[in-house]
Amino acid sequence: MRVLTFFNVVVAALSMGSILAEAADDDVESIYRLGSGYPVSETGLRIGGYATTKIGLPRADPWYFDVSDLSLFLTWDNGSRLRFFSELEVGDVLSAGEHQSLGTQKAHFEFERFYIDGLVNNNLTIRLGKFLTPVGQWNLIHAAPLVWTSSRPVATENLFSTHASGLMLHGSVSVANRQLEYSVYGDISESIDPYRSKKPFENALGAHLRYPLTDTLQIGASFANFVLNDLPPTRYNLAGLEVAWSYQKYELSSEIVYRTSDHTNIKSTWQSFVQSVIPLSQYWFVVGRYEFFEQPQDKPGQVGLLGLAYRPLPPIIWKLEYRLGTNNETLAADGLAASFAILF
């Protein structure tokens, strides 16, 4: 009965997603291109966002259903040197489970991002506000329609805050006839963002570099020095490496992060993942991922993921995946998950 109920919810969610996608594609495309946002006349404003529906059947826990994210993007760019971006997210808009009826009990609002960019020149932009922490690439493109799996790798969020609030200098410079992308930032979350997200920085300094070695291969590096407000008061140093290769529709990517502390009771920790994407046809893809993660209070964990993704249009994706591992109950539990995501 549990499995039948779960798959009844899956079918209902997939049907709902198909209706949304068809409506967005057929009715709205005459006004704007799906996934690019809606321009508000000649004001320079553009409204967009994304929505995600997820269903999970963990091996050791009850099944659940969530309209997990409904994000609204507001962008302003009138061609001047100043630009503005904000992302308001409604989390867990609707939720249900084996022991919970469908409702809005868990719904909550949060400003995921809000910042002003000032263009200094073609190589330098100054950003002030709340932004995604530039550690690796997954955290910078983590929106559900843009990634291949319903779950994100542990290494992309566990050892640092996914958001920073403060000042960032970012841009690109020419190195060996290719563009080296850079960002340097300082965080003062307590002053700028009093309603901070889970596990925020107290303060932080960091940098991120990304460089294309070839047209298909890119590498990157990250560094951050910070204090987290939900752990013993100590400073952490984090270093990260990343690599991404893509050819036609094939992809291979990996990230590694290593964190140390000056606190004698907190051990150094490293976490990593490697993920591949293989096209089966124009719209269907097989996704595989392996993760290894040390845990400060437990034995090292590892997990493997096998998934199937259907992307009929670039802004729309269906995902089905199964995850299995060892010592992974807390950070990446075993189980089946399915989701639908649309960028509008």
Side-chain angles (χ1 to χ4, degrees):
M1 178 63 71
R2 179 189 186 198
V3 175
L4 287 176
T5 304
F6 169 77
F7 281 102
N8 287 337
V9 175
V10 172
V11 172
L14 295 181
S15 300
M16 179 180 70
S18 295
I19 294 171
L20 287 172
E22 290 173 6
D25 193 24
D26 296 339
D27 298 338
V28 186
E29 192 159 5
S30 59
I31 303 174
Y32 85 113
R33 186 172 62 183
L34 184 65
S36 64
Y38 176 75
V40 182
S41 186
E42 302 297 325
T43 63
L45 291 172
R46 186 176 293 270
I47 300 172
Y50 69 92
T52 309
T53 299
K54 184 178 180 181
I55 302 162
L57 186 63
R59 190 170 69 172
D61 296 307
W63 68 267
Y64 63 88
F65 164 79
D66 287 313
V67 180
S68 54
D69 294 309
L70 181 58
S71 290
L72 177 67
F73 300 157
L74 180 62
T75 305
W76 177 77
D77 180 3
N78 68 349
S80 69
R81 290 183 177 270
L82 291 178
R83 300 169 185 171
F84 172 79
F85 177 83
S86 71
E87 178 185 357
L88 175 62
E89 179 179 286
V90 186
D92 300 323
V93 184
L94 286 173
S95 58
E98 190 166 325
H99 306 299
Q100 175 191 338
S101 59
L102 185 66
T104 60
Q105 303 93 321
K106 297 181 180 180
H108 60 277
F109 292 85
E110 181 176 351
F111 268 108
E112 283 282 296
R113 290 178 280 174
F114 54 90
Y115 56 77
I116 296 175
D117 276 345
L119 179 65
V120 177
N121 54 46
N122 292 335
N123 303 117
L124 173 63
T125 298
I126 299 176
R127 177 170 295 175
L128 177 64
K130 181 178 181 180
F131 42 83
L132 298 172
T133 307
V135 173
Q137 280 298 300
W138 188 290
N139 192 52
L140 296 176
I141 59 169
H142 71 279
L146 305 180
V147 295
W148 289 105
T149 60
S150 301
S151 59
R152 63 185 290 170
V154 172
T156 66
E157 63 176 348
N158 181 246
L159 297 181
F160 59 95
S161 174
T162 56
H163 296 79
S165 299
L167 183 69
M168 174 190 285
L169 307 179
H170 66 99
S172 63
V173 294
S174 179
V175 176
N177 296 320
R178 296 185 181 274
Q179 292 298 307
L180 171 67
E181 299 176 6
Y182 71 88
S183 59
V184 181
Y185 61 95
D187 170 90
I188 47 172
S189 289
E190 287 185 302
S191 301
I192 293 180
D193 184 19
Y195 303 104
R196 301 186 297 277
S197 59
K198 181 181 178 182
K199 197 167 65 175
F201 290 133
E202 287 287 354
N203 56 75
L205 292 172
H208 179 256
L209 299 173
R210 185 170 174 84
Y211 184 73
L213 293 174
T214 68
D215 292 340
T216 60
L217 179 63
Q218 296 183 331
I219 60 172
S222 309
F223 172 79
N225 176 271
F226 55 86
V227 175
L228 295 178
N229 76 349
D230 67 339
L231 293 171
T234 183
R235 297 206 67 87
Y236 295 87
N237 287 305
L238 181 142
L241 295 174
E242 67 202 67
V243 60
W245 172 84
S246 61
Y247 176 71
Q248 297 181 352
K249 293 187 176 182
Y250 292 87
E251 294 183 15
L252 182 65
S253 60
S254 179
E255 294 184 23
I256 302 172
V257 291
Y258 178 72
R259 191 182 73 180
T260 63
S261 167
D262 57 12
H263 197 293
T264 56
N265 294 329
I266 300 177
K267 66 179 183 180
S268 299
T269 306
W270 75 277
Q271 300 176 348
S272 65
F273 78 90
V274 58
Q275 176 175 288
S276 63
V277 179
I278 300 173
L280 298 178
S281 66
Q282 183 177 359
Y283 303 125
W284 289 92
F285 302 83
V286 171
V287 183
R289 186 167 73 223
Y290 171 77
E291 301 181 49
F292 176 86
F293 43 90
E294 291 185 325
Q295 304 175 87
Q297 307 300 327
D298 204 351
K299 298 178 181 179
Q302 55 184 329
V303 66
L305 179 148
L306 182 63
L308 184 66
Y310 173 61
R311 194 185 286 276
L313 293 170
I316 297 173
I317 187 169
W318 302 91
K319 309 169 193 176
L320 178 67
E321 65 201 54
Y322 188 77
R323 193 166 57 182
L324 182 66
T326 57
N327 299 320
N328 60 318
E329 296 81 5
T330 302
L331 298 180
D334 297 346
L336 181 71
S339 65
F340 167 80
I342 180 170
L343 185 70
F344 50 85

